[in-house]
Amino acid sequence: MTSKSELQKKDDVTTIEQFSFLDSYLGKEVSLTLTNGRPMHCKIIKISAYELLVEEGTRMNKPIEKLIFKHAVASIEDRRER
């Protein structure tokens, strides 16, 4: 019989493996496409289980931070300057 701590550990590992690719984008400028088709050019500040905290431009010399739910992101890629 498995203990409660073993079950919780297994769930934590699954979560980490599932979302570990996002860690490579932390602190980088990226291009996001939302599920409604809207493109965003932003910098990823923090990553949580269900959300991304991003910085999209500035207003009055202060960064504009937005909270984006992960399920609202259709695609993500490194931002390329044109």
Side-chain angles (χ1 to χ4, degrees), residues 29-55:
E29 297 281 333
V30 297
S31 294
L32 294 177
T33 303
L34 302 180
T35 55
N36 66 359
R38 179 180 182 257
M40 290 182 69
H41 302 290
C42 56
K43 179 178 179 180
I44 297 181
I45 305 299
K46 280 189 177 179
I47 301 170
S48 70
Y50 302 104
E51 304 142 341
L52 301 172
L53 181 64
V54 300
E55 184 179 294

Side-chain angles (χ1 to χ4, degrees), residues 1-10:
M1 182 170 191
T2 59
S3 68
K4 185 177 179 180
S5 63
E6 289 175 337
L7 289 175
Q8 185 174 1
K9 186 175 181 180
K10 183 179 178 185

Side-chain angles (χ1 to χ4, degrees), residues 7-73:
L7 289 175
Q8 185 174 1
K9 186 175 181 180
K10 183 179 178 185
D11 291 342
D12 291 343
V13 170
T14 303
T15 302
I16 291 168
E17 289 174 359
Q18 185 177 5
F19 297 114
S20 63
F21 76 95
L22 287 174
D23 292 337
S24 65
Y25 294 108
L26 189 60
K28 291 185 178 179
E29 297 281 333
V30 297
S31 294
L32 294 177
T33 303
L34 302 180
T35 55
N36 66 359
R38 179 180 182 257
M40 290 182 69
H41 302 290
C42 56
K43 179 178 179 180
I44 297 181
I45 305 299
K46 280 189 177 179
I47 301 170
S48 70
Y50 302 104
E51 304 142 341
L52 301 172
L53 181 64
V54 300
E55 184 179 294
E56 185 183 35
T58 59
R59 182 180 298 132
M60 298 176 62
N61 295 324
K62 293 185 181 180
I64 301 169
E65 293 183 346
K66 295 182 179 182
L67 189 66
I68 308 294
F69 288 104
K70 287 180 179 177
H71 70 264
V73 178

